[in-house]
Amino acid sequence: MSRSAAEVAGVIKAYDVRGLVGEQLDEAFVAEVGAAFARLVGPGAGRVVIGHDMRESSPALSAAFADGVLAQGLDV
């Protein structure tokens, strides 16, 4: 799914990611972010560790991020 630069900038800030789940953040978007992160850190990173909090949406979103990272060839 393609998002405009303004939509991405509305969610991804310099030091955090904030948005409304289901409106601004969904699994497809988070998977794209995971893939972009993996490309940014490159294959030399080797492994990415993912954590999450207790919100109901956290397991699905962290799994989507992991899918994006894995699609780029890094371990999670």
Side-chain angles (χ1 to χ4, degrees):
M1 172 183 290
S2 232
R3 301 194 191 239
S4 71
E7 289 174 306
V8 173
V11 175
I12 298 178
K13 306 295 182 184
Y15 298 101
D16 65 357
V17 176
R18 291 182 183 258
L20 297 173
V21 174
E23 292 180 30
Q24 297 170 298
L25 293 170
D26 58 22
E27 291 173 32
F29 178 72
V30 174
E32 289 179 25
V33 172
F37 176 79
R39 289 190 300 271
L40 179 68
V41 298
R47 181 175 298 160
V48 174
V49 178
I50 301 170
H52 63 74
D53 61 17
M54 79 297 191
R55 285 176 254 206
E56 288 183 28
S57 58
S58 292
L61 293 178
S62 64
F65 188 90
D67 290 343
V69 171
L70 289 168
Q72 299 301 310
L74 295 178
D75 289 330
V76 175

